[in-house]
Amino acid sequence: MTLDILYFAWLRERVGQPRERIETEAATIRDLVAELAVRDEWHAAAFADMSAVRCAVDQQLADLDTQLAGSREVAFFPPMTGG
Amino acid sequence: MTLDILYFAWLRERVGQPRERIETEAATIRDLVAELAVRDEWHAAAFADMSAVRCAVDQQLADLDTQLAGSREVAFFPPMTGG
Amino acid sequence: MNARVQSAPFDLAAEMRGFGEGAGAVVTFCGIVRDDSGRMTALEIEHYPGMTERALNDYGQEAAGRFDLTDWRIIHRYGHLAVGEQIMMVATAARHRRAAFDAADYLMDWLKSRAPFWKREIAHDGSGEWVEAKTSDEEALARW
Amino acid sequence: MNARVQSAPFDLAAEMRGFGEGAGAVVTFCGIVRDDSGRMTALEIEHYPGMTERALNDYGQEAAGRFDLTDWRIIHRYGHLAVGEQIMMVATAARHRRAAFDAADYLMDWLKSRAPFWKREIAHDGSGEWVEAKTSDEEALARW
């Protein structure tokens, strides 16, 4: 499947780009992170500490076990600091 | 001593006047209430249930044991309903 | 940093202009005459001239110290207020959100039970009935 | 009954005009950029276009149901905001005071930890540092 991957805040800075389009067969976010983390050193740095990473699937907050089937957009970002 | 006695809300209605000036030797609010309550049937009705009466001495909230020495104004009223 | 007691309407929007500059958090509360029973057309609010404004200023200053407020304002009306009219407002400014929220909440609890106002509900036929103080308001005050 | 995400300033006073008509209680919260460290000149706020406005609307509607609100509004800014500028506001209207207070407090807890915004503090020398999420904000959310 084709997925748009979005990065925000310091994850965007570590990866070095705000978004990328990838082909993947990952079943869950956890699988997807495992794939992305080994792409290069920048991705590795972004995903080094998953306790500091939050994610959304198709613009809804999700967790590592969320299934990706049928999804189009996955975003990774630090804990939010709104308000 | 000379005291101005003020009444508000339904206490004012029961007594039939918003204020009166009296001469008294009452030491506390409790003594003063005992004096006022026997003045006439209107005062008696106003002070019939002291659990529903609040008071202030010289515009500061007070209670039945508050001393009156040196005071000039005592107000009686129902529990407040501000806000 | 002041309290006002007045019969005239106030403009919440105008009161908020410039309020709390330099703070991190501003909270406002505004109370509006509401007809819960379906029989009411207005409130008549009696107060204790002389005592009221001073009591509100005392409560405001107390809250300012307790919650480290950078600014506060209390306005409370009296007289004849039709359903839909604004009765009163409280505004608090502080460095942090929690303090601004708590101070506004605290001031409202004080005003409900310790500010010398008495409300009478005026019905469609012109008759009036004094509003009784609520036990829940007294309990709310005991939280602090 | 709506949420807006914008870079432009908003006018709290103008937003409050006509808000909450028919309610008994209106609460507003306004957050302002504050320099706690003495080194900061501005915040830069990044957000997730597409997700942000929908998330805020979802939280607002959830709060409206939970607290029986008669009206609510959320405005949150993004981009470069100098110290002293307003960041965001929440307004809630309900029949009763407790519901209006609680709903505003609840929405703030959601916005702090669940709205897709990320803040960077810009120092006098132009350097920037991401603001870390606070454990206390996460704990505040667990109250509800």
Side-chain angles (χ1 to χ4, degrees), chain B residues 1 3 25-31 56-58 62-74:
Chain B
M1 91 189 119
L3 276 182
E25 297 309 317
T28 64
I29 298 266
R30 196 185 305 276
D31 298 339
V57 173
D58 288 338
D63 59 37
L64 291 176
D65 296 320
T66 300
Q67 298 288 324
L68 290 175
S71 306
R72 295 186 311 177
E73 182 175 298
V74 175

Side-chain angles (χ1 to χ4, degrees), chain A residues 14-81:
Chain A
R14 289 197 190 170
V15 171
Q17 55 186 351
R19 61 192 304 152
E20 58 188 328
R21 179 163 292 179
I22 65 159
E23 286 296 324
T24 179
E25 296 309 315
T28 64
I29 297 265
R30 196 185 303 277
D31 299 338
L32 176 65
V33 167
E35 271 181 31
L36 292 169
V38 297
R39 290 204 143 197
D40 53 43
E41 59 187 298
W42 298 283
H43 283 81
F47 292 110
D49 175 12
M50 286 304 292
S51 75
V53 177
R54 301 289 178 272
C55 59
V57 173
D58 289 338
Q59 306 184 353
Q60 297 279 0
L61 294 177
D63 60 37
L64 290 174
D65 296 319
T66 300
Q67 299 286 322
L68 290 173
S71 306
R72 295 185 311 177
E73 181 175 300
V74 175
F76 294 102
F77 40 79
M80 292 151 274
T81 53

Side-chain angles (χ1 to χ4, degrees), chain D residues 71-144:
Chain D
D71 204 353
W72 59 271
R73 186 166 302 163
I74 301 170
I75 301 176
H76 203 305
R77 297 176 65 192
Y78 61 89
H80 187 91
L81 305 183
V83 168
E85 283 195 73
Q86 295 177 332
I87 307 175
M88 50 80 61
M89 63 158 281
V90 160
T92 56
R95 287 159 50 82
H96 297 286
R97 170 168 70 115
R98 189 76 265 142
F101 263 115
D102 284 351
D105 207 0
Y106 174 85
L107 280 171
M108 287 307 304
D109 282 342
W110 275 95
L111 295 180
K112 286 272 171 195
S113 303
R114 294 290 184 274
F117 292 97
W118 300 276
K119 293 188 184 122
R120 178 148 53 178
E121 291 186 0
I122 308 301
H124 290 285
D125 62 6
S127 66
E129 204 159 310
W130 293 104
V131 174
E132 280 195 51
K134 293 196 195 107
T135 315
S136 58
D137 285 336
E138 194 62 38
E139 286 164 359
L141 194 53
R143 288 184 297 157
W144 302 101

Side-chain angles (χ1 to χ4, degrees), chain B residues 39-56:
Chain B
R39 291 203 142 198
D40 52 44
E41 61 187 297
W42 298 283
H43 283 81
F47 292 111
D49 175 12
M50 286 304 293
S51 74
V53 176
R54 301 289 178 272
C55 58

Side-chain angles (χ1 to χ4, degrees), chain B residues 6-10 12-13 54 56 58-61 73-75 77-83, chain C residues 46-48 50-51 54 59 76 88 111-120 130-133:
Chain B
L6 276 62
Y7 303 100
F8 293 99
W10 57 253
R12 173 178 49 70
E13 295 175 332
R54 301 289 178 272
D58 288 338
Q59 308 186 352
Q60 298 279 359
L61 293 178
E73 182 175 298
V74 175
F77 40 79
M80 292 152 274
T81 53
Chain C
E46 182 173 334
H47 79 117
Y48 183 169
M51 174 170 173
R54 209 185 53 196
Y59 300 154
H76 203 304
M88 49 79 62
L111 295 181
K112 286 272 172 196
S113 301
R114 293 291 184 275
F117 292 98
W118 299 275
K119 294 188 184 120
R120 177 148 54 178
W130 293 102
V131 174
E132 279 194 49

